[in-house]
Amino acid sequence: MIFTSAAEPVKELPDHLDVYGFLFEYFPSSRPDTRNTGLPLFIDEQTAQQWTFEETKENTDLLSVALAEKCGIKPDTRAAIYATNSIYYPATIWAMHRLGAVVSPANAAFMAKELGLQIQESNSKLLFVSEDPVSLKNAFEAAKIANIPRDRIVIIQEPYTVLKYSESNYGRIQRKSQGAWTLAGLIEEGRDIVKAKGDAILTSTRYKLKPGEAKTKIAFLLFSSGTTGLPKGVAIQHFAVTSNALQTMAFNKVGSSLGAKGRFCPGKDVSLGVLPQVHIFGLSTCTHFPFYAGIANVVISKFRGIEAMIKTIIKYKISVWWLVPPMVVLFCKDPSVAPYLDELRKVARFAMVGAAPLSEDLSRQFSKIFPKLDWGQGSGMTETCSVTTMFPVGEPVVMGSAGRLFSNTEAKVVNSEGTEVGYDELGELWLRGPQITLGYTNNEKATRETYVEGGWLRSGDEVRIDRNGDVFFIDRLKELIKVKGFQVAPAELEGFLLDHPDVSDAGVIGIQDESAGELPFAFIALSQDAKKRAASGGSKQQDEIRQSILKFVADNKTRYKHLCGVAFIDAIPKTASGKILRREMRDMAKKLAPE
Ligand code: 4UU
């Protein structure tokens, strides 16, 4: 059977608009109009710098002119953004979109090689990078790997640096640094170009979509490992992004005017912009949706602990919270929260939790702490350009449910025999809707296996849907490990571990961890030589080998991919065709004493 959404559908899904046109030029009567209202739409947490609709548009437009004229960005050119959240991040994305170009966000915590690989995989010709020394060092190294020249690197300075320069130098902003452009500098370049060439340059640089083109034109290449294998670039078309924002409007019954009362209150609500914009959850809910809906988003560069986040929530009276389960764990268990609870309860109106399972137990604790909060889970995937289920408006929270099907979204539940099943039966979740993306770049096989006939996307998640329409995530059928909501692909670590001289084969699984959700754990079959050493040297020698494997990963992979433990076995359990039997490894891990 096909499960359909009970929520109000979106009536009009424009397929002639790119993301830029949708946000800056599209004002149907159903959208709260923020033009010329003076309402701040982005607020920088560190400096309190604020941008209205007009300021965001001006910065976006000027940046795009400079990207076209100074950095060679053309329609379909790809650029990677390797940066923490900032007020400039959305402007950078939308400036690229304005030119018909493609953005590939890379995790700000990546190490140089990880970044280099993504630049190559996404075929990026330009690299945006945060200003801090570690990011710069990694970016310069990655740029070398991927043959990106210095003047095709753009440094996103912290807003305070830009303010400092513009004040102390009487309005002059530093345009280049270490041979690379600065982002604020490029905006100033854009201003100079427009002054010299007039408004015609604004018109001539703007990419014009043909009718229907939004359905095929790529806006983002976001990386996901999908159901198996290495991370792959998911081709996210403009239509998927704009549709998901409109679905969010409809599902949540967002009013059409500023101040309208609904689940969200345009012009009054303030959104928590702490989730990284590199992840689809942050990108859609903190960046695109609030800007369209007229909700101010407080941009927090990165999560710096629960107390710091709470202080920001209180300072800016942040009423709309987008959270991942590890944050809920901290709200429930961290002793620093208690003194702020009264204040937090006053400002909080709404919270959505997603990106990984949230246990019933934790859900109950969270409800206890915030009894009046309108909160629940949502779920989504990179491949579904964000939200596919969400908790409905005006109903009490259902513990353990990831919500109900989003507006305009359909589902099937398919069991292991390939049969579609009904209510309360287990099977793989298949999804269909306007937010489903185009497929994986450079990987037809994976695309064919995941994006199947009839417009369905196979999620690789085992679920049960009950008669109320609540979707419960039971297990993950795919290989994916989720650490703090971030994807870790077992295949990536397994391939990497084979480069260690003591490793002859490796199998990586996720094991439960209260604060991170899951952590990667490796089963290792040792090389002949290492086996001999381990046998003769006893537990001391074994421990040395173990430490050296842990260090090997720690030295080369970003923190959330680090192994929490290693166990030695004779052979990695596999099927006759060589597929790793992960369930067997999971059972083995349960029997092991905690590392
Ligand atoms: C159990 O995690 C995401 C997107 C999350 C998201 C997006 C919009 C959440 C709420 C929202 O509004 O994307 P990926 O690609 O990093 O990972 C996708 C996988 C899913 O297939 C599922 O296994 O993350 C897992 N997942 C969840 N699992 C996502 N949300 C949930 C959830 N419960 N609520």
Side-chain angles (χ1 to χ4, degrees):
M1 76 178 269
I2 293 181
F3 296 86
T4 53
S5 172
E8 193 174 316
V10 183
K11 288 180 194 74
E12 201 188 324
L13 292 165
D15 63 4
H16 63 289
L17 291 174
D18 59 2
V19 172
Y20 176 92
F22 175 75
L23 295 175
F24 292 111
E25 298 166 346
Y26 181 61
F27 285 90
S29 57
S30 55
R31 178 181 179 184
D33 193 345
T34 53
R35 288 173 296 182
N36 304 310
T37 55
L39 182 76
L41 286 174
F42 288 112
I43 301 167
D44 187 90
E45 172 231 4
Q46 282 179 325
T47 59
Q49 188 186 8
Q50 304 189 351
W51 282 358
T52 59
F53 176 90
E54 286 74 22
E55 285 160 339
T56 310
K57 183 169 185 301
E58 185 187 4
N59 282 300
T60 303
D61 289 354
L62 296 176
L63 177 60
S64 87
V65 167
L67 287 172
E69 296 284 298
K70 299 282 173 188
C71 300
I73 300 295
K74 296 191 171 59
D76 300 323
T77 311
R78 290 151 179 200
I81 308 186
Y82 170 63
T84 49
N85 293 344
S86 79
I87 200 166
Y88 293 107
Y89 204 119
T92 303
I93 293 171
W94 300 333
M96 290 287 292
H97 288 161
R98 190 180 174 279
L99 305 171
V102 182
V103 177
S104 185
N107 198 303
F110 272 0
M111 302 188 63
K113 275 193 198 142
E114 294 169 304
L115 174 64
L117 209 65
Q118 181 166 331
I119 296 173
Q120 286 172 318
E121 269 287 304
S122 61
N123 195 15
S124 290
K125 302 293 181 209
L126 185 81
L127 174 61
F128 295 93
V129 54
S130 296
E131 189 184 30
D132 71 278
V134 177
S135 300
L136 280 181
K137 186 171 163 287
N138 288 339
F140 290 156
E141 206 177 313
K144 248 195 214 139
I145 298 172
N147 277 325
I148 294 204
R150 241 346 131 80
D151 65 351
R152 291 292 185 267
I153 295 177
V154 182
I155 301 172
I156 306 181
Q157 293 166 297
E158 300 273 354
Y160 63 78
T161 314
V162 179
L163 291 180
K164 186 183 83 187
Y165 274 111
S166 51
E167 280 160 19
S168 63
N169 297 336
Y170 307 99
R172 266 191 65 77
I173 281 175
Q174 185 197 23
R175 297 200 180 184
K176 280 208 159 178
S177 168
Q178 302 175 65
W181 289 102
T182 69
L183 193 102
L186 274 181
I187 293 174
E188 291 314 300
E189 290 283 331
R191 205 183 302 280
D192 289 348
I193 297 168
V194 173
K195 251 187 227 149
K197 299 193 177 177
D199 282 354
I201 190 74
L202 284 166
T203 318
S204 66
T205 50
R206 172 79 177 110
Y207 180 82
K208 284 179 201 69
L209 274 85
K210 294 180 219 45
E213 197 182 343
K215 284 195 165 172
T216 53
K217 192 160 185 65
I218 303 174
F220 292 102
L221 278 178
L222 233 69
F223 278 69
S224 163
S225 60
T227 54
T228 180
L230 298 173
K232 299 169 271 291
V234 178
I236 302 181
Q237 72 281 33
H238 288 267
F239 182 72
V241 181
T242 60
S243 294
N244 210 235
L246 291 174
Q247 291 169 294
T248 311
M249 297 289 286
F251 188 91
N252 293 293
K253 304 181 191 292
V254 181
S256 60
S257 59
L258 294 182
K261 288 208 174 68
R263 174 171 258 173
F264 300 113
C265 190
K268 292 216 173 111
D269 265 327
V270 180
S271 141
L272 179 69
V274 72
L275 298 181
Q277 291 173 65
V278 62
H279 189 261
I280 193 73
F281 187 10
L283 190 65
S284 58
T285 55
C286 309
T287 304
H288 291 94
F289 166 67
F291 192 79
Y292 185 86
I295 294 167
N297 185 50
V298 176
V299 183
I300 299 175
S301 65
K302 62 179 175 190
F303 181 72
R304 290 199 174 81
I306 191 75
E307 195 170 3
M309 185 170 99
I310 286 174
K311 282 184 177 159
T312 306
I313 290 174
I314 292 170
K315 179 172 174 193
Y316 290 101
K317 297 193 167 37
I318 297 176
S319 49
V320 168
W321 302 356
W322 317 100
L323 307 174
V324 288
M327 293 171 182
V328 175
V329 174
L330 291 170
F331 271 117
C332 295
K333 312 222 157 161
D334 196 286
S336 68
V337 176
Y340 301 103
L341 272 178
D342 279 349
E343 209 51 38
L344 283 173
R345 287 181 190 128
K346 274 187 225 150
V347 298
R349 285 203 329 113
F350 164 95
M352 177 155 87
V353 187
L358 184 73
S359 70
E360 279 191 49
D361 187 37
L362 263 177
S363 305
R364 251 180 232 110
Q365 289 186 42
F366 193 63
S367 273
K368 218 185 223 171
I369 301 179
F370 297 108
K372 296 212 176 112
L373 187 66
D374 172 24
W375 88 277
Q377 283 189 62
S379 78
M381 298 170 68
T382 311
E383 289 83 347
T384 62
C385 186
S386 217
V387 197
T388 48
T389 69
M390 185 174 178
F391 64 109
V393 178
E395 294 193 32
V397 57
V398 179
M399 304 296 166
S401 162
R404 299 185 189 162
L405 285 175
F406 220 32
S407 300
N408 306 54
T409 305
E410 297 170 300
K412 286 203 283 199
V413 179
V414 182
N415 72 12
S416 52
E417 276 105 58
T419 310
E420 287 175 31
V421 298
Y423 293 114
D424 286 317
E425 290 183 81
L426 295 189
E428 184 189 5
L429 176 69
W430 291 28
L431 292 156
R432 184 160 72 179
Q435 71 273 52
I436 303 296
T437 55
L438 299 177
Y440 300 111
T441 47
N442 314 330
N443 200 326
E444 261 178 54
K445 182 170 175 279
T447 305
R448 235 181 300 118
E449 285 166 2
T450 307
Y451 296 75
V452 296
E453 225 178 285
W456 292 100
L457 180 103
R458 297 183 59 168
S459 70
D461 289 307
E462 186 178 48
V463 301
R464 168 173 74 81
I465 303 183
D466 74 8
R467 286 185 185 275
N468 295 328
D470 274 300
V471 180
F472 295 85
F473 281 68
I474 307 296
D475 201 355
R476 222 174 276 141
L477 303 165
K478 55 186 167 187
E479 290 180 349
L480 182 64
I481 301 170
K482 282 237 133 169
V483 180
K484 299 186 172 173
F486 289 119
Q487 289 198 3
V488 177
E492 178 185 337
L493 291 177
E494 285 157 1
F496 180 71
L497 284 164
L498 292 180
D499 289 341
H500 189 286
D502 292 340
V503 174
S504 94
D505 202 0
V508 174
I509 54 163
I511 58 170
Q512 303 295 319
D513 176 83
E514 193 184 39
S515 64
E518 280 180 294
L519 289 171
F521 180 93
F523 284 97
I524 301 284
L526 289 173
S527 66
Q528 287 304 332
D529 175 58
K531 246 189 223 164
K532 271 188 219 144
R533 275 188 286 131
S536 62
S539 64
K540 187 164 172 275
Q541 183 64 37
Q542 281 192 22
D543 201 49
E544 251 172 48
I545 298 173
R546 179 179 288 120
Q547 292 309 328
S548 124
I549 292 171
L550 291 174
K551 186 170 180 308
F552 183 59
V553 174
D555 285 347
N556 290 284
K557 297 284 175 187
T558 184
R559 201 184 174 83
Y560 66 85
K561 296 180 190 168
H562 293 184
L563 297 173
C564 68
V566 165
F568 301 128
I569 47 174
D570 288 338
I572 304 299
K574 287 186 186 169
T575 62
S577 62
K579 198 169 175 313
I580 294 182
L581 290 165
R582 290 176 197 284
R583 222 170 259 262
E584 224 165 272
M585 288 197 299
R586 279 202 250 170
D587 290 343
M588 279 155 46
K590 273 187 207 133
K591 288 186 201 132
L592 289 172
E595 283 285 312

